[in-house]
Amino acid sequence: MLGFLVQDGNDQNMIQNINQFSKTNSCTVFSGSLIPMLQTNVMQRYEAFHFNGKIITSNFRLCQQLPHLGYCKKRYYYIQNYE
């Protein structure tokens, strides 16, 4: 199972990509706010501490929390717009 740790729902490109991914694969989104445009499971951010799959984030502040997620199998920081 794959989890996405997101800050908020302001990035329309990210929401569209997660919706496309969720059509073929099982995934969960962990967010501090409700994102009604997502077509997959959305859970509170603190639930990521009990998630036992792979987790991805593209936010630098949230990537600092990745080492503290004890049950995750793998943790990834996806760098967007690296210049």
Side-chain angles (χ1 to χ4, degrees), residues 13-52:
N13 189 29
M14 176 199 63
I15 290 173
Q16 190 175 30
N17 289 337
I18 291 174
N19 285 337
Q20 187 69 25
F21 181 79
S22 69
K23 289 179 183 176
T24 57
N25 299 307
S26 164
C27 67
T28 304
V29 175
F30 301 99
S31 176
S33 62
L34 184 62
I35 306 173
M37 297 179 66
L38 283 174
Q39 300 169 354
T40 186
N41 298 331
V42 179
M43 302 182 82
Q44 290 291 326
R45 190 178 306 148
Y46 69 87
E47 292 293 330
F49 289 101
H50 306 290
F51 185 70
N52 62 356

Side-chain angles (χ1 to χ4, degrees), residues 2-4 7 10 12 14 18 21 46 56 62 65-66:
L2 190 62
F4 297 99
Q7 180 69 26
N10 292 335
Q12 295 298 324
M14 176 199 63
I18 291 174
F21 181 79
Y46 69 87
I56 300 172
L62 294 178
Q65 296 178 359
L66 289 178

Side-chain angles (χ1 to χ4, degrees), residues 11-14 17 57-60 77-83:
D11 188 3
Q12 295 298 324
N13 189 29
M14 176 199 63
N17 289 337
T57 188
S58 62
N59 187 305
F60 180 71
Y77 175 50
Y78 180 72
I79 300 172
Q80 288 181 317
N81 302 326
Y82 183 72
E83 296 178 6

